[in-house]
Amino acid sequence: MRRMFRLSDASHKDIDLREYEDEILEIADRILLGKNPKVYQNYFMTDELTQGERVRLGRELSKSPRLKQYGKEVTSFRLFEGRSVEQKMLFT
């Protein structure tokens, strides 16, 4: 299983995350050793994560001055929403 992350705020659906690929990958590689992050146009993926890894990744990504403008305030600030997906089921 892999974990897919999209921007939480749907009003930013046209943002191309590949423009932020270097920053996302640098943070993910630092936080998630060996989880194979990959950035696509509308989402990024990693290998399956524990709850603690998801929280740490979200917090670190939310600190990015370039990325935090795309988050939304729910109960707390949220930049990305993630879900587990089967590799073969991706946007077919």
Side-chain angles (χ1 to χ4, degrees), residues 46-91:
T46 67
D47 290 342
E48 191 63 34
L49 304 177
T50 66
Q51 176 67 21
E53 290 170 329
R54 291 192 301 263
V55 169
R56 282 188 64 211
L57 178 61
R59 285 181 180 158
E60 289 301 312
L61 288 169
S62 295
K63 292 178 184 176
S64 163
R66 294 180 59 214
L67 289 170
K68 70 179 177 182
Q69 65 184 322
Y70 302 119
K72 71 177 182 178
E73 191 74 31
V74 188
T75 303
S76 59
F77 181 80
R78 185 172 296 157
L79 180 61
F80 286 97
E81 291 180 348
R83 65 183 174 123
S84 295
V85 293
E86 292 283 341
Q87 186 81 23
K88 62 185 177 184
M89 296 178 66
L90 293 179
F91 302 105

Side-chain angles (χ1 to χ4, degrees), residues 1-6 17 24-25 28 32 35-40 43-49 57 83-88 90-91:
M1 292 281 260
R2 300 267 292 159
R3 188 93 181 157
M4 179 177 63
F5 297 88
R6 290 183 181 271
L17 290 177
I24 292 170
L25 292 179
L32 311 169
K35 296 292 184 167
N36 304 311
K38 182 140 174 84
V39 178
Y40 300 91
Y43 63 96
F44 74 94
M45 294 192 71
T46 67
D47 290 342
E48 191 63 34
L49 304 177
L57 178 61
R83 65 183 174 123
S84 295
V85 293
E86 292 283 341
Q87 186 81 23
K88 62 185 177 184
L90 293 179
F91 302 105

